Amino acid sequence: MTIFQTKPFDGQKPGTSGLRKKTPVFMQPNYLENFVQSTFDAIGGVSGKVLVLGGDGRYFGQEAAQVILKMAAANGASRVIVGQGAWLSTPAASHLIRLRGTFGGIILSASHNPGGPEEDFGVKYNMANGGPAPEAVTEAIYARTKEIGQYRKLEAADVDLSVPGEADLGGMVVEVVDPVAAYADLMETLFDFPALKALFAGGFRMRMDSMCAITGPYAVEIFERRLGAAPGTVTHAVPLPDFGGMHPDPNPTWAHELMAEMMSAEGPDFGAASDGDGDRNMIVGRGIYVSPSDSLAVIAANAHLAPGYKAGLKGVARSMPTSAAADRVAAALGIESYETPTGWKFFGNLLDAGRATVCGEESFGTGSDHVREKDGLWAVLMWLNIIAARGEGVAEIMSGHFARFGRNYYSRHDYEALPTDLANAMLDDLRGRLGGLKGTQTQGLTVESADEFSYLDPVDGSVSAHQGFRILFAGGSRAVLRLSGTGTEGATLRVYYERYVPGPDGLGEDPQAALAPIIAAAEEIVGIRSRTGREGPNVIT
Ligand code: VG1
Ligand code: CO
């Protein structure tokens, strides 16, 4: 029997990046099956098609991979290319889809969310271009989950995914591949590996914290084996189902071990961390933390130093809440800059159309047109390449960048697990008052405009509304508010603060101090603390 009767589950609506739920929710009978069958149905079926499948090694990933293989077989797929052990980092999956020209791929991950029996799991569908399904497709998947009545699944023994090779599953080929090799080869084509080898041979010290998540095997292969960095350069290098209890989100709060090492006088020259599925990155120098928005700007200004980008960039794109630092670089380079809603899926069209080469988000995501996902190790290699080519350390690169372009002080404050009703009421109230905010004076700042961001995709003309509230102050400072689309508990409010200082004075302040007036002004206008009853944010990045 391959056809099973089922009933719809509520709430199978993909968020910013796929469907994410608590693991026990995903482990309910039929829950995963319903979502996967709905995905297959929404993309026109998978009969005769080739797919890529892999994930970040988190709890339930192996079992989910077996279910999806049997469903793909019963739905008539001709071949599924799976990473050995059901492992594939998100950027490696994106690359494999492109390299092998497959119809699409399924990524098993809740990315930066913790993993384990009581933590989070996720499933995401990527298109033939290697990128996350656009909203039209995720909407179609969601619509299908609401009416699904049956799914197809082969009754067969599990396939051995522990060794590379091919196996037959009810007439479908299961091809198990080394998850690392093709990705590492791609990196060699983009960056100056001989120069990086020389850098490490000269005693350059690096610490890469893979946070017990998927980049461990990739980072060991690339940094330690191919580039000759000292053994042990990569820490927490073995992916574990519960990420060793770590919260695999590469920011100063969750990557505190790395931060402590980098802030000590004997710290390594360069530090980096990545998230659960390997698409995020954090960049740190000895004694200096680089904010993701600044990292994007530095990469945009220096990418031409890497062999894969020596022809220069076609354009730069950033998500709306990301600081405008990259826009200043684009203006100086005379190239286009784009502002998109949060989530990598909105960069796909710009990359496919050749309008942007480099993209980034304030949430520790940077990448380029080499794949259609953000790419943590790509960003780390890009920084190494810039360091090697400029012969400068992170601190010098940053001070030089600020001196040239000015500094966009930036910080994000997260209020996690708020009661959903309360968060919605607060933002609905703000929506109602937006029109009247212009001219409001508070904390020495004047509101210049206030709106709700709506994006018109310049490539396909689609419109995505309700993408976050913007309160813009005279002089270029702003506060942005939006609710997270990746959380699995209540509502998470993200508040993004930005203030531009042209220099030469005032470029070396502590960001929280530099942003204090904007933080206070947003509090007065929105009443975040008073309405939520919270003393302050849970996480500051
Ligand atoms: C967050 C980030 C967003 C990112 C998304 C997926 O979304 O803000 O910039 O694209 O996570 O990242 P949200 O809706 O929670 O703010 V990953 O590395 O979790 O796939
Ligand atoms: Co991620």
Side-chain angles (χ1 to χ4, degrees), residues 35-164:
F35 187 70
V36 171
Q37 187 66 53
S38 298
T39 301
F40 289 166
D41 294 348
I43 59 175
V46 294
S47 180
K49 293 172 180 170
V50 181
L51 297 172
V52 163
L53 174 66
D56 62 7
R58 74 179 57 218
Y59 187 85
F60 189 55
Q62 297 272 349
E63 293 88 331
Q66 295 291 348
V67 167
I68 293 170
L69 286 172
K70 290 170 195 172
M71 290 186 67
N75 278 274
S78 65
R79 176 181 291 260
V80 177
I81 303 165
V82 198
Q84 191 178 350
W87 282 356
L88 278 178
S89 77
T90 287
S94 182
H95 178 52
L96 215 46
I97 293 170
R98 297 165 64 79
L99 182 72
R100 298 289 300 272
T102 74
F103 186 76
I106 293 179
I107 299 174
L108 305 172
S109 169
S111 190
H112 62 285
N113 300 14
E118 301 302 325
E119 300 294 349
D120 292 355
F121 193 76
V123 177
K124 186 170 79 152
Y125 182 72
N126 280 32
M127 312 290 283
N129 72 346
E135 275 194 335
V137 176
T138 56
E139 286 299 331
I141 295 172
Y142 179 46
R144 187 71 193 137
T145 66
K146 292 194 277 193
E147 58 184 33
I148 189 166
Q150 56 183 40
Y151 62 82
R152 288 169 186 272
K153 185 164 80 171
L154 202 68
E155 288 186 297
D158 283 359
V159 185
D160 181 4
L161 302 179
S162 68
V163 279

Side-chain angles (χ1 to χ4, degrees), residues 16 111-112 275 279-280 361 363 374 482 484-486 494:
T16 310
S111 190
H112 62 285
D275 74 331
D279 56 0
R280 296 186 178 205
E361 295 192 278
S363 53
K374 53 190 186 273
R482 58 178 283 281
S484 159
T486 61
R494 306 202 193 284

Side-chain angles (χ1 to χ4, degrees), residues 213-400:
I214 195 65
T215 62
Y218 295 83
V220 169
E221 170 67 18
I222 293 170
F223 301 121
E224 298 185 12
R225 294 209 192 97
R226 299 200 187 187
L227 293 174
T233 291
V234 185
T235 53
H236 300 120
V238 179
L240 299 173
D242 66 349
F243 305 124
M246 294 179 92
H247 187 153
D249 193 355
N251 62 45
T253 302
W254 298 119
H256 50 85
E257 266 181 56
L258 173 73
M259 288 303 284
E261 191 179 2
M262 295 307 300
M263 293 306 140
S264 81
E266 313 76 49
D269 301 290
F270 180 71
S274 53
D275 74 331
D277 62 332
D279 56 0
R280 296 186 178 205
N281 73 90
M282 177 174 75
I283 300 295
V284 204
R286 191 190 301 110
I288 180 169
Y289 158 73
V290 181
S291 93
S293 293
D294 288 336
S295 174
L296 172 66
V298 167
I299 287 174
N302 293 281
H304 62 278
L305 300 172
Y309 305 87
K310 63 174 186 289
L313 307 181
K314 293 169 186 151
V316 181
R318 63 166 174 85
S319 67
M320 183 274 283
T322 304
S323 95
D327 301 12
R328 298 187 177 278
V329 175
L333 294 174
I335 56 175
E336 216 44 64
S337 57
Y338 300 89
E339 185 178 40
T340 61
T342 294
W344 210 262
K345 59 184 172 226
F346 294 103
F347 294 133
N349 279 345
L350 296 170
L351 293 165
D352 285 348
R355 294 172 79 151
T357 308
V358 165
C359 306
E361 295 192 278
E362 51 66 40
S363 53
F364 300 81
T366 353
S368 86
D369 59 1
H370 68 292
V371 289
R372 292 295 181 272
E373 289 277 5
K374 53 190 186 273
D375 188 344
L377 293 178
W378 173 91
V380 177
L381 285 163
M382 178 61 95
W383 265 91
L384 285 171
N385 202 134
I386 293 168
I387 289 167
R390 294 185 69 101
E392 293 179 332
V394 176
E396 285 167 282
I397 291 173
M398 291 318 298
S399 57

